[in-house]
């Protein structure tokens, strides 16, 4: 397990930013938290696997994005589970999370109502947004979660939540999840500047899955990792290698503690793996045929599972019980979505605001 932390409090024009490297052979995290993370990651993976099947229905033999029970675009997070689980284990329902167009892992780990979320994706009236938002526009005020399809648009929203938290005198934090491509957008830099200036409890998690749609990071980004940009704003930065769940836990723990204690923003970049295409139906012509099998051989769920077994924290039957429970929750959510009713045609004019 390894992550690198950069500390802005030691920043100077002469010396640069101080770097601390953390390496551990075995997890030093409580068993309960590791088990929670494992269950969330299993739930996320199974949820996305089931979504592949549901989304594919009615879209063959010729792919038609408008057909099937789940029409429209679909961006899945299979392989990116550690980013969500490693951060959310430190959060409460009072902490705000914003997510991008690939949001299911964040929503699940934040505790969004899984039945209502799935119904929303299926376009059903029982969904979070009465079936009108779809998978890129999930909103659950009960746990302060939202997402959107515009790249980098969630960062300013998180800054606003962080500012509100500070003005209220609360120790609540705001976390914005983005892809590495969004770190080149103006909203990223404008938001960081303001958050640093006002010392806000903001954390930006950059999920580097190597591609902005089909463009490799090496062709779009001038720095090796976006945590290096932290020093430009005088904030903390951390880099998590190899999609490591425990390293993400550690980096997130430090960032959340800093935010809650009034020490300002943090940028965390995690090297993560996108096992699927940018969207379902993506021919992935930009990837070498051996890339994805190589990534799957480094599956973070299997890595954490083996760590738990090797440290004798848990046995096989206990893990199987967790897996069964997670899968049942997902199956129940999908059944609820399929059994729910579509909105009535006249409901199209409900909840529409004009000026």
């Amino acid at each position: 397990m390894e992550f690198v932390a950069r500390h802005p409090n030691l920043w100077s024009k002469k010396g640069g930013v101080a770097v601390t490297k953390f390496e551990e052979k075995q997890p030093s995290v409580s068993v309960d938290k590791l088990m929670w993370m494992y269950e969330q990651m299993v739930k996320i993976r199974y949820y996305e696997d089931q979504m592949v099947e549901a989304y594919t229905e009615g879209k063959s033999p010729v792919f038609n994005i408008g057909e099937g029970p789940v029409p429209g675009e679909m961006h899945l997070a299979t392989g990116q589970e550690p980013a969500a689980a490693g951060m959310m284990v430190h959060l409460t329902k009072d902490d705000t999370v914003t997510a991008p167009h690939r949001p299911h892992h964040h929503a699940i780990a934040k505790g969004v109502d899984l039945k209502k979320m799935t119904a929303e994706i299926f376009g059903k009236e029982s969904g979070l947004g009465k079936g009108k938002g779809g998978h890129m526009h999930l909103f659950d005020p009960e746990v302060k979660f939202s997402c959107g399809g515009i790249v980098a648009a969630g960062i300013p929203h998180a800054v606003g939540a962080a500012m509100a938290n500070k003005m209220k005198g609360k120790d609540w934090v705001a976390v914005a999840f983005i892809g590495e491509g969004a770190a080149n957008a103006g909203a990223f830099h404008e938001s960081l500047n303001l958050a640093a200036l006002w010392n806000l409890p903001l954390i930006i998690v950059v999920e580097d899955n190597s591609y902005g749609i089909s463009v490799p990071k090496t062709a779009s980004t001038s720095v090796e990792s976006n945590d290096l940009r932290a020093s430009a704003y005088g904030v903390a930065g951390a880099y998590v290698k190899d999609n490591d769940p425990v390293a993400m836990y550690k980096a997130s723990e430090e960032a959340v503690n800093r935010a809650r204690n009034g020490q300002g923003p943090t940028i965390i970049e995690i090297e993560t793996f996108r096992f699927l295409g940018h969207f379902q139906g993506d021919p992935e012509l930009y990837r070498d045929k051996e890339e994805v099998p190589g990534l799957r051989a480094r599956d973070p769920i299997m890595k954490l599972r083996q760590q738990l077994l090797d440290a004798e924290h848990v046995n096989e039957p206990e893990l199987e019980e967790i897996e069964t429970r997670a899968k049942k929750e997902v199956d129940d959510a999908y059944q609820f979505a399929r059994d729910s009713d579509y909105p009535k045609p006249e409901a199209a004019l409900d909840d529409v605001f004009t000026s």
Side-chain angles (χ1 to χ4, degrees), residues 87-296:
M87 171 57 71
M88 304 302 184
V89 68
H90 301 290
L91 303 185
T92 72
K93 67 179 182 63
D94 292 318
D95 297 314
T96 298
V97 169
T98 67
H101 56 278
R102 196 181 311 281
H104 299 168
H105 54 322
H106 311 121
I108 291 170
K110 187 61 168 72
V112 169
D113 187 300
L114 200 59
K115 289 183 177 179
K116 292 181 179 179
M117 169 179 153
T118 310
E120 181 62 31
I121 296 169
F122 275 71
K124 299 299 184 71
E125 197 274 336
S126 57
L128 293 167
K130 301 180 183 179
K132 299 178 181 179
H135 108 100
M136 288 189 282
H137 305 97
L138 305 170
F139 179 67
D140 189 349
E142 293 297 319
V143 294
K144 294 186 178 179
F145 176 87
S146 65
C147 63
I150 299 174
V151 173
I155 312 174
H157 298 167
V159 171
M163 186 173 93
N165 296 343
K166 185 173 182 178
M167 291 176 70
K168 291 177 179 178
K170 302 292 187 180
D171 69 348
W172 304 338
V173 305
V175 183
F177 286 88
I178 62 172
E180 84 288 340
N184 295 323
F188 174 85
H189 299 278
E190 293 164 0
S191 297
L192 267 174
N193 181 63
L194 200 61
L197 183 65
W198 292 345
N199 197 44
L200 299 180
L202 174 75
I203 301 167
I204 298 179
V205 178
V206 183
E207 296 179 66
D208 175 17
N209 63 20
S210 298
Y211 297 100
I213 306 179
S214 60
V215 179
K217 183 182 180 183
T218 53
S220 66
T221 304
S222 62
V223 291
E224 184 177 358
S225 60
N226 286 291
D227 61 297
L228 296 171
R229 288 171 159 166
S231 62
Y233 298 98
V235 303
Y239 180 69
V240 177
K241 293 181 64 175
D242 200 32
N243 211 22
D244 190 304
V246 178
M248 184 62 192
Y249 174 99
K250 289 288 190 177
S252 300
E253 179 181 46
E254 182 170 317
V256 171
N257 287 341
R258 285 180 54 81
R260 295 204 196 283
N261 293 323
Q263 295 178 280
T266 300
I267 303 170
I268 300 173
E269 177 157 296
I270 175 171
E271 177 192 19
T272 193
F273 310 146
R274 196 187 76 195
F275 291 172
L276 303 176
H278 170 67
F279 59 91
Q280 289 307 104
D282 181 357
E284 300 184 69
L285 301 178
Y286 50 89
R287 295 177 112 169
D288 185 276
K289 291 182 179 180
E290 299 303 316
E291 180 181 334
V292 173
L295 294 177
R296 286 187 177 274

Side-chain angles (χ1 to χ4, degrees), residues 53-97:
E53 294 185 16
Y55 184 77
T56 305
E57 288 179 33
K59 292 183 174 66
S60 62
V62 178
F63 182 79
N64 184 334
I65 198 171
E67 295 296 332
V70 185
E73 282 199 298
M74 180 59 62
H75 311 84
L76 301 179
T78 307
Q80 298 186 201
E81 299 88 359
M87 171 57 71
M88 304 302 184
V89 68
H90 301 290
L91 303 185
T92 72
K93 67 179 182 63
D94 292 318
D95 297 314
T96 298
V97 169

Side-chain angles (χ1 to χ4, degrees), residues 23-63:
E23 293 190 46
E24 296 179 61
K25 297 299 183 183
Q26 292 292 339
S28 61
V29 182
S30 75
V31 176
D32 287 346
K33 290 182 176 179
L34 286 174
M35 297 281 276
W36 184 91
M37 287 173 59
Y38 181 73
E39 181 165 354
Q40 297 306 309
M41 291 170 65
V42 168
K43 189 189 303 180
I44 291 163
R45 178 67 60 83
Y46 186 63
Y47 189 91
E48 299 293 62
D49 287 348
Q50 295 304 106
M51 186 56 71
V52 170
E53 294 185 16
Y55 184 77
T56 305
E57 288 179 33
K59 292 183 174 66
S60 62
V62 178
F63 182 79

